[in-house]
Amino acid sequence: MTNTQVTHIQIDNYGPWTVTPEPRREVDLQTLQSRLYADLAQLFGNRDGYIFFSRFDNMIAVTNGLDEADHALIQESVGNRYPVTMSLSVATGTTPVSALGTATEQLQEAGSAQDDGRREVLRGQTIDDEFRTDADVQLAHFDVDDATEKYTDQLNEFDTFIQIEQGYAALMKYMREAHDSLSFFVGGDNVIAVCPDLDEADYRDACDHVRDAVDVELKVGVGRGRAPADAGMDAKHALEECRADGATVRFE
Amino acid sequence: MTNTQVTHIQIDNYGPWTVTPEPRREVDLQTLQSRLYADLAQLFGNRDGYIFFSRFDNMIAVTNGLDEADHALIQESVGNRYPVTMSLSVATGTTPVSALGTATEQLQEAGSAQDDGRREVLRGQTIDDEFRTDADVQLAHFDVDDATEKYTDQLNEFDTFIQIEQGYAALMKYMREAHDSLSFFVGGDNVIAVCPDLDEADYRDACDHVRDAVDVELKVGVGRGRAPADAGMDAKHALEECRADGATVRFE
Amino acid sequence: MTNTQVTHIQIDNYGPWTVTPEPRREVDLQTLQSRLYADLAQLFGNRDGYIFFSRFDNMIAVTNGLDEADHALIQESVGNRYPVTMSLSVATGTTPVSALGTATEQLQEAGSAQDDGRREVLRGQTIDDEFRTDADVQLAHFDVDDATEKYTDQLNEFDTFIQIEQGYAALMKYMREAHDSLSFFVGGDNVIAVCPDLDEADYRDACDHVRDAVDVELKVGVGRGRAPADAGMDAKHALEECRADGATVRFE
Amino acid sequence: MTNTQVTHIQIDNYGPWTVTPEPRREVDLQTLQSRLYADLAQLFGNRDGYIFFSRFDNMIAVTNGLDEADHALIQESVGNRYPVTMSLSVATGTTPVSALGTATEQLQEAGSAQDDGRREVLRGQTIDDEFRTDADVQLAHFDVDDATEKYTDQLNEFDTFIQIEQGYAALMKYMREAHDSLSFFVGGDNVIAVCPDLDEADYRDACDHVRDAVDVELKVGVGRGRAPADAGMDAKHALEECRADGATVRFE
Ligand SMILES: Nc1nc2c(ncn2[C@@H]2O[C@H](COP(=O)(O)OP(=O)(O)OP(=O)(O)O)[C@@H](O)[C@H]2O)c(=O)[nH]1
Ligand SMILES: Nc1nc2c(ncn2[C@@H]2O[C@H](COP(=O)(O)OP(=O)(O)OP(=O)(O)O)[C@@H](O)[C@H]2O)c(=O)[nH]1
Ligand SMILES: Nc1nc2c(ncn2[C@@H]2O[C@H](COP(=O)(O)OP(=O)(O)OP(=O)(O)O)[C@@H](O)[C@H]2O)c(=O)[nH]1
Ligand SMILES: Nc1nc2c(ncn2[C@@H]2O[C@H](COP(=O)(O)OP(=O)(O)OP(=O)(O)O)[C@@H](O)[C@H]2O)c(=O)[nH]1
Ligand SMILES: [Ca+2]
Ligand SMILES: [Ca+2]
Ligand SMILES: [Ca+2]
Ligand SMILES: [Ca+2]
């Protein structure tokens, strides 16, 4: 059984800030958002966590191994370097969806995303070291088969993007509904999913669903570990095995 | 009539690089990709262009006002600061889709995205200054109505994300097929579309389509200009007018 | 005769900010300062200017070719992305020192560096395009002879650093006093000086002075141009000529 | 007695790279160097270490608390994101100078800084956790008295910089020779010194020396700790006490 620790990160009162006193230049917003994400990738990643950009103003991280002090330091470090602040809420659960559900609720109880008075909230419980196990985190690295040959080198880049994007839209919805998983596009033709204790048939089912729905062929490597970094790296090695032997699903 | 100049940016031989000699840590890839995007946002943005991250390994920019020397300098600057290089191909057309079509084709003719020997290609034609007009670029800034109240403050963050993402997936496909436009998610609940000479009815039609297909309500501000930065800022002001008077579509 | 345009950049009220409400972590201050400098290097550099980090909270730029609107945009872009703001003051003069003198005075008149009420000041005059000439900027790129062999590969790194640093301290003071020039350490064993219309004998004199004072041997390449980027690149090519033929001073 | 762990970081074969095949644009080199430093500040800082930019191509870090695996990960992460690689050598000693001496020697034995074949060297011993104590690191935070009133608000910025720089040049040399300490300028009017077990009289002596040599008045806060981050933060608090009561030296 997995025991995923999930952190919901929300920029405080960001919508109003983007248009005060005037709409801010989009290039600056894009630079701010993507650098904040890059910094958080390093701040969480250096502690063996994983973060996903999702909507950029709201991000989702898998944080097994990070305690409250780690979260506080990350929050402070961003506050020291950005014109915006962020709130963090962390929770655990046997599925990623239930963990995130708790995390988001805690944040919502503290106030609206656009409540001017709610700043740098830090809520929730992390897993004590003694209760952590090697089965806590399951990550799956999905990848489109022969994306270069089938799409990138054939279609105009936007039509390639549509293929990848429709594949992602189908996968993320299905994995959420059928398998209580959180799936994130990570660039190129890759999606990383944070999963409960799924088995090979479940992943095969998801790949089948996407092929049937939008005609995009996927393969997937799955890794498990105490920390997201371990599970994620194992998933990548498993994916290389798919590449080597043509399998659709591989567990490391 | 618009005359959009579109640049297709592609990291050279990126797939193989990510797994050589071993799969590289995902946090480093994420950091690399998002910082490269942030740098390009500044490099294009400082010359009044706009770039969108799309797949990160392939990005699409609107570049009216940038000539070949600008493209060459951007390419060189990235080559000086990153472990990867990128190829650029630029073209123009009366619709963004046709411009991109030409740009991608030129790149494909130079070699595959995973051709080890194809590096730092720079192809295509830019618009001479004398032929530029104030009607060259049309940008539309779409935004979800009351996203905070309806989603962010109500659902768990992934379910909010699903709503936004399904809205985006529907919009990007429809705008491509029905209106020859390129639409990009830019974070939060926002999508920026690069459009040909569309009118109010066209935008209304797109918003209707998305509402009917996935039940997400949009409004949109539209701007036009000689350079993407002008059109984009106008679009934002128009969107503020939608906010002020409840309109679904506003042109600045 | 040179006509150097110099901009003095000052973070507003930075000292108090670093200790409010508590002293901020030094690593965050270092990250903030060096990234702000990197961003300004790009923002000025993309407009063919040069900026030097000097004290980080106060920086000095050579900005021939940038007008007031460019300065305003750079100021706004930083304000959009950092927790601190900055004031800019620009002036011109036949020597870099006199230009900077005017620039700093204008800023001081607007209020103290630690005046809480003085924010985002933008003062001064830039050179109209019609008055710019190819002789406006003279930049010199100084470099220590055989630094690798004599120091880096021989001494402990701090003792190497002491050599370079004492060389720099001697050079910057002498060039200021004897030649009205502004000299900046740019890393490694390199110093870039912003100079008035100096000739070969002047540079030879400066190198002799440093050798006599602190026993550090320098060579120097000199470039001239309409914009700092041109002069700077020419200086580098001239320095390569010194390397090729063993000369102490070379003009491109 | 202190037990300082010092890491010498050296970009591999950087000099030749900067001019191959042609001299690279200085703004790109500056951006590369300062971002690399910012990244290392975070990579070391997130593990409670401190790094100083010194010459940028060679940097010095205090790394008590980081083991070999931490160093390896930092090296790999930079290799994944930059066009250059770096070598690391770590050593310990009762004085920072002796620790650095060993570290640099190990690196020099592995090859020249400009040896094309020497890449990503990682050498040396770190302190086992069981041998670490709260007295291992002593950091001193020096600051110029009333720099704003005396210099920044009075002189042109370069003349202010000369004052600060001459103060630093005098301090770094004296602390090295008289007190086996490594002192680094960190921006503004601040210098952080990595020291052996010095007492109040030693610091008073150093401040006196600088006042007599170059007429710059300093105060200094001193902190001690198991890790650089603790010692550094204590030093900052001690400096605030100097500010509060006018003392020249304070230990936390
Ligand atoms: N984020 C991320 N992206 C990757 C990774 N590996 C590959 N990619 C992306 O995926 C794109 C396509 O590369 P591949 O998946 O290797 O190529 P392909 O043509 O689909 O070939 P196969 O997957 O081997 O069938 C690359 O350009 C990258 O953007 C990875 O580990 N992480
Ligand atoms: N990229 C980008 N994102 C924006 C911009 N304005 C708002 N956002 C994002 O949109 C999110 C929601 O903000 P709003 O759209 O203002 O809020 P809302 O609740 O939907 O309210 P209305 O749009 O006014 O109905 C913010 O958190 C931002 O992430 C913008 O100009 N650019
Ligand atoms: N900022 C900057 N630094 C440079 C540049 N070229 C070299 N360096 C730095 O200078 C250091 C020493 O390199 P070199 O000057 O080539 O080596 P050297 O041993 O002194 O040899 P010679 O100068 O050829 O006598 C490098 O590690 C870089 O840090 C440059 O163009 N700009
Ligand atoms: N790196 C770093 N720089 C700092 C810190 N505190 C202040 N500074 C810098 O020092 C500059 C001067 O600030 P202060 O030292 O507070 O001002 P001052 O006028 O000298 O006043 P006193 O030091 O109180 O006598 C600021 O602009 C900052 O650049 C710090 O903790 N770290
Ligand atoms: Ca693939
Ligand atoms: Ca909205
Ligand atoms: Ca040299
Ligand atoms: Ca001070």
Side-chain angles (χ1 to χ4, degrees):
Chain A
M1 222 178 52
T2 60
N3 189 19
T4 323
Q5 181 177 306
V6 173
T7 304
H8 178 177
I9 296 118
Q10 186 170 81
I11 303 182
D12 296 314
N13 204 24
Y14 184 55
W17 183 85
T18 61
V19 290
T20 306
E22 283 284 297
R24 296 177 195 254
R25 282 169 199 279
E26 190 62 30
V27 295
D28 287 340
L29 298 182
Q30 292 303 311
T31 306
L32 170 72
Q33 291 174 4
S34 49
R35 288 206 182 148
L36 176 56
Y37 168 63
D39 272 350
L40 291 173
Q42 289 292 315
L43 284 164
F44 283 102
N46 274 308
R47 292 165 178 83
D48 287 339
Y50 258 47
I51 183 169
F52 302 98
F53 58 78
S54 39
R55 299 201 290 148
F56 287 100
D57 60 347
N58 285 267
M59 300 187 233
I60 294 169
V62 199
T63 57
N64 291 258
L66 284 85
D67 61 18
E68 204 194 306
D70 292 322
H71 282 81
L73 187 142
I74 290 172
Q75 188 177 50
E76 179 190 325
S77 183
V78 167
N80 278 342
R81 295 187 280 126
Y82 284 86
V84 292
T85 57
M86 62 185 200
S87 288
L88 301 177
S89 178
V90 54
T92 55
T94 52
T95 74
V97 168
S98 74
L100 177 65
T102 310
T104 300
E105 259 171 44
Q106 291 163 357
L107 201 54
Q108 288 164 345
E109 278 160 21
S112 166
Q114 299 200 354
D115 175 341
D116 188 21
R118 198 213 67 185
R119 293 210 167 258
E120 299 201 318
V121 167
L122 176 52
R123 294 256 169 124
Q125 287 291 119
T126 58
I127 307 172
D128 271 355
D129 231 45
E130 54 186 314
F131 299 116
R132 297 177 58 202
T133 77
D134 288 350
D136 283 353
V137 183
Q138 181 171 126
L139 293 184
H141 200 121
F142 288 89
D143 174 282
V144 174
D145 288 340
D146 298 319
T148 309
E149 203 184 299
K150 281 198 249 170
Y151 308 119
T152 313
D153 287 351
Q154 299 296 333
L155 310 178
N156 79 53
E157 175 53 24
F158 199 80
D159 289 342
T160 295
F161 183 37
I162 289 179
Q163 293 297 322
I164 302 295
E165 172 63 26
Q166 303 294 318
Y168 172 54
L171 181 67
M172 60 122 46
K173 196 153 186 273
Y174 188 75
M175 287 294 286
R176 160 67 180 97
E177 287 165 5
H179 299 300
D180 285 333
S181 300
L182 310 173
S183 308
F184 302 94
F185 178 59
V186 293
D189 63 345
N190 283 234
V191 173
I192 296 178
V194 189
C195 304
D197 199 1
L198 303 185
D199 61 21
E200 196 179 317
D202 296 323
Y203 288 109
R204 199 173 296 277
D205 166 63
C207 294
D208 287 350
H209 171 83
V210 172
R211 193 198 50 229
D212 296 347
V214 293
D215 197 30
V216 171
E217 306 263 358
L218 297 170
K219 56 182 160 300
V220 56
V222 186
R224 281 166 295 202
R226 204 178 156 76
D230 309 327
M233 191 45 91
D234 278 3
K236 289 191 169 217
H237 281 117
L239 182 63
E240 288 302 289
E241 288 173 31
C242 292
R243 283 213 171 89
D245 65 10
T248 297
V249 187
R250 272 278 174 271
F251 279 69
E252 183 74 20
Chain B
M1 222 179 53
T2 59
N3 189 18
T4 321
Q5 181 177 306
V6 173
T7 304
H8 179 177
I9 296 119
Q10 185 170 81
I11 303 182
D12 296 315
N13 203 24
Y14 184 55
W17 183 86
T18 62
V19 291
T20 306
E22 283 285 296
R24 296 176 195 254
R25 283 169 198 278
E26 190 62 31
V27 296
D28 287 340
L29 298 182
Q30 293 303 310
T31 306
L32 170 71
Q33 291 173 4
S34 49
R35 287 204 183 150
L36 175 56
Y37 168 62
D39 272 350
L40 292 173
Q42 290 291 315
L43 284 163
F44 284 101
N46 274 309
R47 292 165 177 84
D48 288 340
Y50 258 47
I51 182 171
F52 302 98
F53 57 78
S54 39
R55 299 201 290 149
F56 287 100
D57 60 347
N58 286 266
M59 301 187 235
I60 295 168
V62 199
T63 56
N64 291 259
L66 284 85
D67 61 18
E68 203 193 307
D70 292 321
H71 282 81
L73 187 143
I74 291 172
Q75 188 177 49
E76 179 190 326
S77 183
V78 166
N80 279 341
R81 295 188 280 125
Y82 284 87
V84 291
T85 57
M86 60 187 201
S87 289
L88 301 177
S89 177
V90 54
T92 56
T94 53
T95 75
V97 168
S98 73
L100 178 65
T102 310
T104 299
E105 259 171 45
Q106 291 164 355
L107 201 54
Q108 288 162 345
E109 279 160 20
S112 165
Q114 298 199 355
D115 175 341
D116 190 20
R118 198 214 67 186
R119 295 212 165 256
E120 299 202 318
V121 168
L122 175 53
R123 295 255 169 124
Q125 287 291 117
T126 58
I127 308 171
D128 270 355
D129 231 45
E130 54 187 314
F131 300 116
R132 297 177 58 203
T133 78
D134 289 349
D136 283 353
V137 184
Q138 181 169 128
L139 293 184
H141 199 123
F142 289 89
D143 174 282
V144 174
D145 288 340
D146 299 318
T148 310
E149 203 184 299
K150 281 199 248 170
Y151 308 119
T152 314
D153 288 350
Q154 299 296 333
L155 309 178
N156 79 53
E157 174 53 23
F158 198 81
D159 289 342
T160 295
F161 182 38
I162 290 178
Q163 294 297 321
I164 302 296
E165 171 64 25
Q166 303 294 318
Y168 172 55
L171 180 66
M172 60 125 42
K173 196 153 187 272
Y174 189 76
M175 287 292 287
R176 160 69 179 94
E177 287 164 5
H179 300 298
D180 284 333
S181 301
L182 310 173
S183 309
F184 302 94
F185 178 59
V186 292
D189 63 345
N190 283 234
V191 173
I192 296 178
V194 189
C195 305
D197 199 1
L198 304 186
D199 62 21
E200 197 180 318
D202 296 323
Y203 287 109
R204 199 173 296 278
D205 166 61
C207 294
D208 287 351
H209 172 82
V210 172
R211 194 198 49 228
D212 296 348
V214 293
D215 197 28
V216 170
E217 306 263 358
L218 298 169
K219 55 182 163 298
V220 56
V222 187
R224 283 167 294 204
R226 203 178 158 76
D230 308 327
M233 190 46 91
D234 278 2
K236 290 191 170 218
H237 281 116
L239 182 63
E240 288 302 289
E241 287 172 31
C242 292
R243 283 213 170 88
D245 65 10
T248 296
V249 187
R250 273 276 174 273
F251 279 69
E252 183 74 20
Chain C
M1 220 178 55
T2 60
N3 188 17
T4 322
Q5 181 177 307
V6 173
T7 303
H8 178 178
I9 295 118
Q10 186 170 81
I11 304 182
D12 296 314
N13 204 25
Y14 184 55
W17 183 86
T18 61
V19 291
T20 306
E22 284 283 298
R24 295 176 195 255
R25 283 169 199 278
E26 189 62 29
V27 295
D28 286 341
L29 298 182
Q30 293 303 311
T31 307
L32 170 72
Q33 291 174 4
S34 48
R35 289 205 182 149
L36 175 55
Y37 168 62
D39 272 350
L40 292 173
Q42 289 292 315
L43 284 163
F44 284 102
N46 274 308
R47 293 164 177 83
D48 288 340
Y50 258 48
I51 182 170
F52 302 99
F53 57 78
S54 41
R55 300 201 289 147
F56 286 100
D57 60 347
N58 285 268
M59 300 186 234
I60 295 169
V62 199
T63 57
N64 290 260
L66 284 85
D67 62 18
E68 204 194 306
D70 292 322
H71 282 81
L73 188 142
I74 290 173
Q75 189 177 48
E76 180 190 326
S77 184
V78 167
N80 279 342
R81 295 188 281 126
Y82 285 86
V84 293
T85 56
M86 62 185 201
S87 288
L88 301 178
S89 177
V90 54
T92 55
T94 51
T95 75
V97 169
S98 74
L100 177 65
T102 310
T104 299
E105 259 172 44
Q106 290 164 356
L107 201 53
Q108 288 163 345
E109 278 160 21
S112 166
Q114 298 200 354
D115 176 342
D116 188 20
R118 198 214 67 186
R119 293 208 168 261
E120 300 202 317
V121 167
L122 177 51
R123 295 254 169 125
Q125 287 290 119
T126 57
I127 308 170
D128 271 354
D129 231 44
E130 54 186 316
F131 300 117
R132 297 176 59 203
T133 79
D134 287 350
D136 283 353
V137 184
Q138 182 170 127
L139 292 184
H141 200 122
F142 288 89
D143 174 281
V144 174
D145 288 341
D146 298 319
T148 309
E149 201 183 301
K150 279 198 250 169
Y151 308 119
T152 312
D153 288 351
Q154 299 295 332
L155 310 178
N156 79 54
E157 175 53 25
F158 199 81
D159 289 341
T160 295
F161 183 37
I162 288 179
Q163 294 296 322
I164 302 294
E165 171 63 25
Q166 303 295 317
Y168 172 55
L171 180 66
M172 60 122 47
K173 196 154 187 274
Y174 188 75
M175 287 293 287
R176 160 68 179 97
E177 286 164 5
H179 299 299
D180 284 333
S181 301
L182 310 173
S183 309
F184 302 94
F185 178 59
V186 292
D189 63 345
N190 283 234
V191 173
I192 296 178
V194 189
C195 304
D197 199 0
L198 304 185
D199 61 21
E200 195 178 318
D202 296 323
Y203 287 110
R204 197 173 297 279
D205 166 62
C207 293
D208 287 351
H209 172 83
V210 172
R211 193 197 52 227
D212 296 347
V214 294
D215 197 29
V216 171
E217 307 264 358
L218 297 171
K219 56 181 159 300
V220 56
V222 187
R224 282 166 294 202
R226 204 177 157 77
D230 309 327
M233 190 47 90
D234 278 2
K236 290 190 171 217
H237 281 116
L239 182 64
E240 288 302 288
E241 288 172 31
C242 292
R243 282 212 172 90
D245 65 10
T248 297
V249 188
R250 272 278 174 271
F251 278 68
E252 183 74 19
Chain D
M1 221 177 55
T2 60
N3 188 18
T4 322
Q5 181 178 307
V6 173
T7 304
H8 178 178
I9 296 119
Q10 185 170 82
I11 303 182
D12 297 315
N13 204 24
Y14 185 54
W17 183 86
T18 62
V19 291
T20 306
E22 282 285 298
R24 296 176 194 254
R25 282 170 199 278
E26 189 62 30
V27 296
D28 287 340
L29 298 182
Q30 293 302 311
T31 306
L32 170 72
Q33 291 174 4
S34 50
R35 289 205 182 149
L36 175 56
Y37 168 62
D39 272 350
L40 291 174
Q42 289 292 314
L43 284 164
F44 284 102
N46 274 309
R47 292 165 177 83
D48 287 341
Y50 259 48
I51 182 170
F52 302 98
F53 57 79
S54 40
R55 299 202 290 149
F56 287 100
D57 60 347
N58 285 267
M59 300 187 234
I60 295 167
V62 199
T63 56
N64 290 258
L66 283 85
D67 61 18
E68 203 194 307
D70 292 322
H71 282 80
L73 187 143
I74 291 172
Q75 188 177 49
E76 180 190 325
S77 183
V78 166
N80 278 341
R81 296 187 280 126
Y82 284 87
V84 292
T85 56
M86 61 187 199
S87 288
L88 300 178
S89 177
V90 54
T92 55
T94 53
T95 75
V97 169
S98 73
L100 178 65
T102 310
T104 300
E105 259 171 45
Q106 290 163 356
L107 201 53
Q108 288 163 345
E109 278 161 21
S112 166
Q114 298 199 354
D115 175 343
D116 189 19
R118 197 214 69 186
R119 294 211 167 257
E120 298 202 317
V121 167
L122 175 53
R123 294 255 169 124
Q125 287 291 118
T126 58
I127 307 172
D128 271 355
D129 230 45
E130 53 186 317
F131 299 117
R132 296 177 59 203
T133 78
D134 288 350
D136 282 353
V137 184
Q138 181 170 128
L139 292 184
H141 199 122
F142 288 89
D143 173 282
V144 174
D145 288 340
D146 298 319
T148 310
E149 202 184 299
K150 280 198 250 171
Y151 309 118
T152 314
D153 288 351
Q154 298 296 333
L155 309 178
N156 78 53
E157 175 54 24
F158 199 80
D159 289 342
T160 295
F161 183 38
I162 289 179
Q163 293 297 321
I164 301 296
E165 172 63 25
Q166 303 294 317
Y168 172 55
L171 180 68
M172 60 120 50
K173 195 154 187 271
Y174 189 75
M175 288 293 287
R176 160 68 179 97
E177 287 165 4
H179 299 299
D180 284 333
S181 300
L182 310 173
S183 308
F184 302 94
F185 178 58
V186 291
D189 63 346
N190 283 234
V191 173
I192 296 179
V194 190
C195 305
D197 199 0
L198 303 185
D199 62 20
E200 196 179 316
D202 297 324
Y203 288 110
R204 197 173 297 278
D205 166 62
C207 294
D208 287 351
H209 172 82
V210 172
R211 193 197 51 228
D212 296 348
V214 294
D215 198 28
V216 170
E217 307 262 357
L218 298 170
K219 56 182 162 298
V220 56
V222 186
R224 283 166 293 202
R226 203 177 158 76
D230 308 327
M233 190 46 90
D234 278 2
K236 290 192 170 215
H237 281 117
L239 182 64
E240 287 303 287
E241 288 172 32
C242 292
R243 283 212 170 89
D245 65 10
T248 297
V249 187
R250 272 275 173 273
F251 279 69
E252 184 74 21

